[in-house]
Structure formats: structure tokens, C-alpha cells
Amino acid sequence: MERYYQPEIECASQDQIKTWQSERLIATVKRVYENVPYYRKKMEEKGVTPDDIKSVEDLHKLPFLTKDDLRDAYPYGLVAAPLKDCVRIQSTSGTTGRRVVAFYTQHDIDLWDDCCARAIVAAGGTEEDVVHVSYGYGLFTGGPGLNGGSHKVGSLTLPMSSGNTERQIQFMCDLGSTILCCTPSYAAYLAESIHERGLQDQIKLKAGIFGAEAWTQEMRRDIEQKLGIKAYDIYGLTEISGPGVSFECSEQTGMHINEDHFIAEIINPITGEVLPDGEKGELVFTSITKEAFPLIRYRTRDICVLSHKKCSCGRTHVKMSKPMGRSDDMLIIKGVNVFPSQIEAVLLNKGYAANYQIYVDRVNNSDTLEVRVEMTPELFSDTVTEVAAKEKELVDALKAMLGIYAKVKLVAPKSITRSEGKAVRIIDNRKLY
Ligand code: DLL
């Protein structure tokens, strides 16, 4: 029997959802226009005023917001509530350029926790559960988000944070953790470590809530099988609150977007045109209940598809597919678009684990692509001819998937550094030129 955290919202009719969205959008636009000079200027440049926004159907009239806007307005330029009402910030890992800082009032945190609680209940969580949170705590939203959600559900919450794998496994065994929350790459690493120690029988996990980075269906099956759990996807981004913007239900065919808080659109990333349901494009979010940091038409750069198909779980909120890559992470190699997820699917299909790195370089003005992947103990081989044959097999499979040549290098088990948070998979040395 499917359980919901807020059934009256999660299973509301489409008409009801549209009504909420229209009312909240109108109020949000009015508030930012009046209180945030940066928004007012952007709207004036596009020739729109709050009076032009009469329902959710008018959303397309509003200007987009990008990460560059967030950087321009850093740190306080987009804050829409008095600072005395803000109680928290969170921030992105900020590998490139300035960090993005998001602000929260207590009310914002409360609603964010609700979103994460919906995800935990959808993964079967109840107050009887022991929720083991191994997302990072601190500026990253993963730990605080799932922590807050777990409290709301009333589960016993283990604020483990990431790292110290030995201690993670010990707590998991001793305290009987039943739901694991972490990045899929860390889940894979924990699964590997549990097997190495022969502790599978002492693990009581039943479900995992994994997100913050792209992962394939092949990786899902691998983790599910190794840990004996059902693995649920969860999506979110700091700018829009953090984890819990959308989450998977028992059907595992996409993530329900919490539409009472966030309006989703799919656009053509080049023209900005809004695309119909079922078409692939860039995901854009408008947050309609945030007090401190409401973002209007924020371009996520994540490429995915929306679907309004009826879901067997009973939830009515629109579903997004797993992001198929990011428009800015997409590698263009010799003019061909390559998504790391395509490479991962090939590797896992051929029996390798998701321990790989993709090296891109430019040699003699021509792009090169090299995939380094660890041999698994089962596939391990130390004869040169066997290794060469296995590499050739992968080269052919990658060529069939990507349409271009990728050099493949099989490396020793455990030689690729394990990640405790988001995995670093792409090393693009062309950026140095
Ligand atoms: O990663 C929030 C989060 C924490 C989500 C824990 C889920 C679980 P950021 O660090 O701001 O926030 O990174 C956001 O990560 O735009 C996506 O590109 C990517 N991402 C997040 N969840 C998924 C997912 C958190 N389930 C960026 N699948 C987003 C694929 C994801 N990519």
C-alpha cells in the first residue's frame, strides 16, 4: 500500500495544482518586483510588469534567470526577505567561478524539510525507520535536507555526513540503519566495502535515496543487488532549495516534482522556446513558495523530459526523467555530443563497476577521448593479450554507442580514487588551452 507524507497535496487534482501555482506565482512576481531591484530591472528590460501575470499560463512572459545572474547579484542581490528574517544559507560546491549562495527563512526550511519528508515516505520510510544520512553536512544541501526530512517523518536520524567509511559501516551494523541517503557513487563504494568485509548479512538496509549526481539504471540495478535494497532517485539543486525538488516513487520511472512549490518548464536551450510535454530540453524552475530566495524561470542546465502520464503510485505531480546530462557538462568531442551517462551505461552493461574516469584532451588540434575503467575482481586479468582483448571489446561498444573512437585503458582494481560525495568523472584538459 502506497503511503504519502502529504496525501492531500501529493495526490491533488491537476486543476487544484494549477490553481495553487497561479495564485502563488502572481504573489511571488509581485513581491520580487517590489522588493528586489535586480528582478525589477530584468522585468523592465523585458517590458513585463506584475499586472501581465494573471495565471501560470503567463509564466513564459517572464525573463529567464541564469547562474550568471546569481553571480552578478552575489551575495545579497536576489534576497527577497529582510535579512533579519533569514536564518540560514547553503552553498554550491563552486568548482568554477563564484559560489552560489542560497538563503532561507525558517518557513523556507520548513517547506524544504516537507519536500524531503515526501521523498523518504515515498521510499517506504516511517517513524520506525533508522535513516542513515551520508550526504555531506555543512554548506552542501544534501545532509541538512535529508536530515530535516527524516526528522519530519519521525525516523531515527543518523547524521553521519560523508567519509569515514569504516565508521559508516559500523553504525549501519550496530544501529540497524534501514534507509541509506547518499550519492550513488558513495553507495556503490559502501556496497563494495561491505562485501569486502563479508558484512552483507549484518546490514538491515531496505531502501536507498540517492541523488546529487547523474547515475544510470545499470548502476541502480548494481547497487540494489549488492545491498539488497530498492534504490530511489532524488533530485534538487541548491538554488531551488536542495534535495527534494523531485523524488522517485515505487514505480521508479521518473521523479515527481513538488509542483505546489516549484513550477517546471522544459525549454529549447538554444532558442529559449518552451517545449511540449515529452520533448527533451533544459529544465527551468520557478519557486513559488520561497520567502528568502525565490527564483523565477531559473535555467538549471539539466537536460530532461517531463511527463504527465498517470502514475501507479497515485501521485499526480508531473514527473521528470533522470537528467540525461547537463547542457554545460555535455562534452563535445570532434563535434559529437557525448554525455558521460552514455559511457557509464556501456561500462556497466559489459560487467564493469562504475569506477571510471573520462579524460578529454586536444592533441595536434584534434580532440581525444580516453576512458579509464577499473577491472573488477571477476574480470581481472593480468595477461597482456587478455587485457588488450577486453579493451578492444569496450572500444567497439563505445564506438557503437557514441559514434566516435574512445581509447580504453583498463586499470587495476581500486586504483581510481573513490568519492565520498559527488564523483569526479571528467577530466577535460582542453580547458587549459
Ligand atoms: O546536488 C542537491 C542534492 C543533494 C540533490 C542530495 C539530491 C540529493 P547542487 O550541489 O546544487 O545540489 O547540485 C545540483 O546536481 O543541477 C544536477 O545537475 C545534479 N543533480 C542533482 N540531483 C541529481 C540526480 C544538489 N538525482 C545539480 N540525478 C543539479 C542527476 C542530479 N543529477
Side-chain angles (χ1 to χ4, degrees):
M1 234 274 284
E2 191 77 30
R3 291 179 58 261
Y4 315 98
Y5 176 67
Q6 290 168 313
E8 68 294 348
I9 299 173
E10 293 175 73
C11 304
S13 69
Q14 296 279 331
D15 282 351
Q16 176 64 73
I17 294 172
K18 285 253 167 320
T19 306
W20 283 327
Q21 290 189 332
S22 292
E23 286 166 8
R24 294 171 187 181
L25 176 69
I26 293 167
T28 302
V29 170
K30 191 162 179 294
R31 204 157 58 80
V32 298
Y33 188 82
E34 284 165 6
N35 299 319
V36 185
Y38 195 94
Y39 267 120
R40 191 190 189 104
K41 184 159 164 275
K42 281 202 77 127
M43 285 170 61
E44 280 170 359
E45 276 165 12
K46 194 140 194 250
V48 255
T49 68
D51 291 341
D52 296 316
I53 309 302
K54 298 193 169 57
S55 81
V56 65
E57 308 300 334
D58 296 320
L59 182 61
H60 67 97
K61 297 178 180 163
L62 292 161
F64 290 117
L65 204 65
T66 65
K67 206 161 201 152
D68 286 339
D69 287 305
L70 267 57
R71 289 183 177 137
D72 283 353
Y74 176 88
Y76 289 121
L78 285 168
V79 179
L83 273 194
K84 70 170 177 53
D85 295 340
C86 298
V87 297
R88 170 100 68 81
I89 65 147
Q90 301 288 156
S91 174
T92 57
S93 42
T95 40
T96 51
R98 267 187 191 159
R99 279 180 177 278
V100 166
V101 176
F103 297 78
Y104 305 74
T105 62
Q106 187 53 52
H107 181 68
D108 293 335
I109 290 181
D110 207 35
L111 298 186
W112 176 26
D113 289 349
D114 283 342
C115 289
C116 290
R118 290 180 196 173
I120 293 171
V121 173
T126 69
E127 56 195 16
E128 308 286 340
D129 278 291
V130 180
V131 176
H132 189 110
V133 185
S134 309
Y135 286 111
Y137 280 65
L139 286 172
F140 180 54
T141 52
L146 271 305
N147 195 92
S150 174
H151 276 222
K152 284 252 178 164
V153 176
S155 310
L156 177 63
T157 311
L158 274 50
M160 301 300 301
S161 198
S162 55
N164 201 338
T165 302
E166 212 55 60
R167 188 177 63 193
Q168 301 273 359
I169 298 175
Q170 193 190 343
F171 270 73
M172 221 177 254
C173 294
D174 293 352
L175 289 153
S177 308
T178 53
I179 299 182
L180 172 64
C181 307
C182 63
T183 57
S185 52
Y186 194 47
Y189 179 38
L190 281 168
E192 187 183 22
S193 309
I194 289 166
H195 275 257
E196 274 169 13
R197 289 162 182 72
L199 292 172
Q200 315 70 297
D201 295 344
Q202 297 191 36
I203 297 293
K204 298 209 176 59
L205 291 176
K206 62 174 191 189
I209 304 179
F210 306 135
E213 63 183 4
W215 54 311
T216 54
Q217 297 296 355
E218 288 79 4
M219 191 159 166
R220 185 207 303 263
R221 277 194 291 275
D222 192 47
I223 299 173
E224 288 192 329
Q225 189 248 322
K226 285 209 176 97
L227 289 176
I229 61 171
K230 189 157 174 170
Y232 296 82
D233 204 349
I234 184 166
Y235 168 91
L237 59 165
T238 313
E239 298 90 315
I240 301 297
S241 65
V245 171
S246 65
F247 60 92
E248 239 175 17
C249 60
S250 52
E251 207 183 79
Q252 293 180 309
T253 53
M255 295 174 272
H256 290 282
I257 295 173
N258 284 314
E259 284 191 283
D260 51 325
H261 299 301
F262 316 109
I263 307 176
E265 298 170 278
I266 292 285
I267 62 159
N268 174 326
I270 296 157
T271 62
E273 173 206 0
V274 179
L275 300 176
D277 225 34
E279 280 195 37
K280 185 162 113 181
E282 181 180 340
L283 184 59
V284 173
F285 280 116
T286 299
S287 47
I288 45 173
T289 49
K290 296 276 283 291
E291 291 178 343
F293 204 64
L295 295 190
I296 292 181
R297 301 197 88 199
Y298 181 66
R299 294 185 58 161
T300 63
R301 301 274 159 202
D302 291 317
I303 304 291
C304 68
V305 175
L306 295 183
S307 162
H308 279 94
K309 256 216 228 112
K310 197 169 181 313
C311 186
S312 62
C313 78
R315 289 179 183 78
T316 46
H317 293 214
V318 67
K319 284 204 288 201
M320 59 179 268
S321 64
K322 266 180 181 300
M324 298 156 185
R326 290 176 54 82
S327 56
D328 53 357
D329 266 11
M330 182 179 75
L331 296 164
I332 303 185
I333 295 167
K334 295 183 182 151
V336 177
N337 297 351
V338 173
F339 287 102
S341 57
Q342 296 174 300
I343 297 180
E344 181 175 303
V346 168
L347 300 179
L348 275 89
N349 264 328
K350 292 281 174 199
Y352 294 85
N355 298 317
Y356 64 92
Q357 280 182 323
I358 300 166
Y359 286 77
V360 187
D361 211 335
R362 183 163 293 142
V363 179
N364 297 332
N365 292 320
S366 175
D367 295 333
T368 62
L369 172 64
E370 177 178 316
V371 180
R372 290 189 198 159
V373 55
E374 277 185 10
M375 281 179 278
T376 58
E378 301 82 60
L379 294 171
F380 187 75
S381 165
D382 48 12
T383 73
V384 176
T385 41
E386 266 181 34
V387 171
K390 290 207 166 82
E391 288 177 343
K392 168 84 171 54
E393 190 195 358
L394 282 180
V395 168
D396 292 344
L398 287 168
K399 177 96 200 265
M401 169 67 98
L402 310 172
I404 54 166
Y405 169 74
K407 184 175 172 187
V408 172
K409 201 162 164 185
L410 287 178
V411 297
K414 303 250 171 278
S415 59
I416 292 177
T417 316
R418 298 292 186 267
S419 121
E420 291 166 352
K422 300 193 192 218
V424 180
R425 303 222 193 263
I426 304 166
I427 294 106
D428 191 344
N429 289 318
R430 292 177 303 181
K431 299 207 171 113
L432 301 174
Y433 294 94

